[in-house]
Amino acid sequence: MSTPDHGSPEHPDGVVQLCSDLIRIDTSPAGNGERAAAEFVAAELSGMGLEPELFEHLPRRSSVVARLGGTDPARPALLVQMHLDVVAADAAAWSVPPFSGEVDDGQVWGRGAVDMKDMVAMVITALRLKLASGWRPTRDIVVALLADEEMGGREGAGWLVEAHPDLFEGCREAIGEAGGFSHELGDGRRAYFVQIAEKGITWLRLAAHGQGGHGSLIHAGNPIAKLAEAVLRVQRYVPPHRASESTQAAVAAARGWTGEQDPDSAFDAVGPVGRLLRPTLRNTFSITRLAAGVQHNVVPFRAEASIDGRFVPGYETELLAEIRQLVGDLVDVEVVHAGRAVQTSFDGATPDAIRAAIEKEDPGATVVPTCLPIGTDGKHFDRLGIRNFGFVPLLLPAGYDFASMFHGVDERVPVSSLAAGVRILQSFFDEC
Ligand SMILES: [Zn+2]
């Protein structure tokens, strides 16, 4: 990238400044800034006439909830849920300091730019503009800004759902992560992928055992070698297709756009966004960590690997059967964390408002409901019977590699996308 421009970048309706300010509050685990971010957004909401409340299960792990009263008490409330935390960023790999919030080259740079301080900035800006015009929503809108999503949400959404379910009283539908982003179809039209399902999580530990001992002796049952064989089997394994309701519309759309009939080939041919869609076709296993050995001349008695397993809604049992069959008796398989899958259908007041808002901003656009592989706080709110729609509206430039931005180096969001997102959310709040 070019040298960061500290001049006077465009700040459409303040959303760029707000996004940049939020990125500068380091809410990664090392930054410990969730309370500062919560106090910052609470002040913004207070300034708009809302009455936000801060909640902490653990010290400094803050969430904020505010309810905007609607004019029609007969209508169910809408939840707008976002997380304030971000994942770590290794500054050595970045073009800009990851918590600088630089605005340069028409983009806002920094950790959280798309995951998901963009949405926090867009929602606050859209609601501020609507309220300033004298608007009131017909249904109650509950705005929740949450801690700990990236680590599973147990200190944020998970705890609030258990300890303070009253905050979400009357909510039947939610918007939040992930989805809502556009994809250029090549003929000038765009598709917007809205998340209606998320894959479930099964984090596994593979453990190999042996006698261990002196490195000068012969060790037929070396646990490192057994573990290595097991993880190679995992890496080479291609799991079978697992069809789910939530992927049907995206598969059909991709076939139509590309002419490819095989679902994997069709998603591949769609473009970079295919990286987000392909994992929804099957259970997946990513090897994420290895641990073994203490000293150069000691064969260890144990070796471990971490596997991030993700299952298609309805196929959790199959995931465990797949991995056990794969590794046989080379290693023990242990589940260390489980997160439910969720799935809903794309019908009702909120999907109607999503379609209308996108159509108004981008006439002729197609809305494609889909499953996404990324876990979200939607799974916690699902326990209260709240249907989650992943809708973080971003009109992205053609060819933009959105999938690589999530947890990636040089995470950034185009200013034009934020501006369009604010307009789409304003229309959405009008319609919802
Ligand atoms: Zn996120």
Side-chain angles (χ1 to χ4, degrees):
M1 64 173 292
S2 55
T3 309
D5 173 13
H6 295 278
S8 52
E10 286 272 312
H11 290 173
D13 303 322
V15 67
V16 169
Q17 187 65 55
L18 197 49
C19 185
S20 173
D21 288 346
L22 284 161
I23 289 169
R24 279 202 295 276
I25 304 171
D26 178 353
T27 53
S28 72
N32 200 26
E34 284 169 313
R35 184 186 287 169
E39 288 171 345
F40 178 87
V41 294
E44 293 286 330
L45 294 172
S46 295
M48 294 153 54
L50 277 70
E51 293 174 3
E53 276 188 273
L54 257 74
F55 298 87
E56 287 185 357
H57 183 215
L58 291 180
R60 308 196 69 81
R61 309 298 314 273
S62 319
S63 298
V64 177
V65 181
R67 183 178 287 251
L68 179 56
T71 55
D72 181 357
R75 293 199 60 201
L78 172 76
L79 172 64
V80 181
Q81 54 100 355
M82 299 154 277
H83 64 84
L84 293 170
D85 63 318
V86 297
V87 294
D90 182 355
W94 282 59
S95 306
V96 299
F99 298 99
S100 64
E102 299 276 4
V103 182
D104 182 60
D105 197 24
Q107 306 189 80
V108 185
W109 297 66
R111 177 59 80 224
V114 302
D115 187 10
M116 63 175 308
K117 288 174 171 172
D118 56 341
M119 181 65 163
V120 178
M122 292 192 301
V123 165
I124 290 175
T125 306
L127 285 178
R128 192 197 332 263
L129 290 168
K130 295 300 302 171
L131 289 167
S133 73
W135 163 89
R136 302 294 295 177
T138 54
R139 59 203 298 202
D140 280 13
I141 296 179
V142 177
V143 179
L145 300 126
L146 302 155
D148 193 42
E149 189 276 341
E150 294 291 358
M151 294 300 287
R154 279 166 291 190
E155 303 304 332
W159 171 68
L160 284 175
V161 158
E162 276 167 25
H164 298 281
D166 48 300
L167 292 170
F168 311 106
E169 197 183 323
C171 293
R172 292 288 169 270
E173 296 173 321
I175 61 166
E177 275 189 308
F181 53 90
S182 72
H183 169 72
E184 195 91 24
L185 290 173
D187 56 0
R189 292 185 312 125
R190 277 171 288 272
Y192 289 75
F193 294 94
V194 175
Q195 185 177 19
I196 55 164
E198 67 180 70
K199 290 178 77 178
I201 299 172
T202 308
W203 285 352
L204 301 158
R205 185 186 293 130
L206 307 186
H209 298 90
Q211 194 179 356
H214 203 290
S216 66
L217 303 178
I218 294 165
H219 294 266
N222 187 313
I224 296 177
K226 286 201 276 190
L227 183 69
E229 193 174 334
V231 297
L232 273 178
R233 288 186 192 176
V234 171
Q235 181 62 27
R236 289 173 181 152
Y237 176 58
V238 180
H241 278 176
R242 304 291 186 185
S244 90
E245 282 278 310
S246 54
T247 55
Q248 284 181 3
V251 169
R255 282 176 170 151
W257 299 329
T258 66
E260 298 279 355
Q261 288 311 298
D262 170 64
D264 286 286
S265 307
F267 282 159
D268 271 351
V270 166
V273 73
R275 280 190 70 203
L276 280 170
L277 301 174
R278 270 193 70 180
T280 64
L281 296 172
R282 49 174 57 81
N283 295 338
T284 58
F285 302 91
S286 288
I287 306 152
T288 53
R289 200 157 49 188
L290 281 175
V294 289
Q295 196 172 317
H296 212 128
N297 57 353
V298 178
V299 174
F301 64 89
R302 181 180 168 92
E304 288 182 6
S306 300
I307 306 288
D308 184 348
R310 306 285 175 134
F311 60 90
V312 173
Y315 291 98
E316 186 172 13
T317 310
E318 287 77 1
L319 180 142
L320 282 169
E322 285 173 71
I323 189 93
R324 291 207 161 102
Q325 172 153 27
L326 202 56
V327 300
D329 56 7
L330 282 169
V331 294
D332 296 333
V333 177
E334 189 188 341
V335 176
V336 294
H337 172 70
R340 58 197 282 158
V342 294
Q343 181 165 232
T344 188
S345 52
F346 198 59
D347 51 25
T350 294
D352 288 348
I354 289 172
R355 284 187 197 280
I358 289 173
E359 174 64 24
K360 187 173 177 198
E361 172 69 21
D362 197 349
T366 307
V367 176
V368 182
T370 189
C371 181
L372 287 174
I374 298 166
T376 77
D377 276 335
K379 60 183 170 292
H380 297 298
F381 294 111
D382 183 69
R383 288 153 62 196
L384 296 177
I386 301 173
R387 304 164 68 208
N388 189 60
F389 299 98
F391 181 55
V392 178
L394 289 177
L395 198 171
L396 297 169
Y400 192 77
D401 186 3
F402 190 56
S404 296
M405 294 297 154
F406 285 88
H407 302 191
V409 169
D410 285 345
E411 182 179 346
R412 57 198 185 275
V413 65
V415 168
S416 61
S417 303
L418 291 174
V422 171
R423 290 192 296 270
I424 294 171
L425 282 171
Q426 285 180 267
S427 302
F428 170 78
F429 289 130
D430 266 338
E431 298 280 341
C432 78

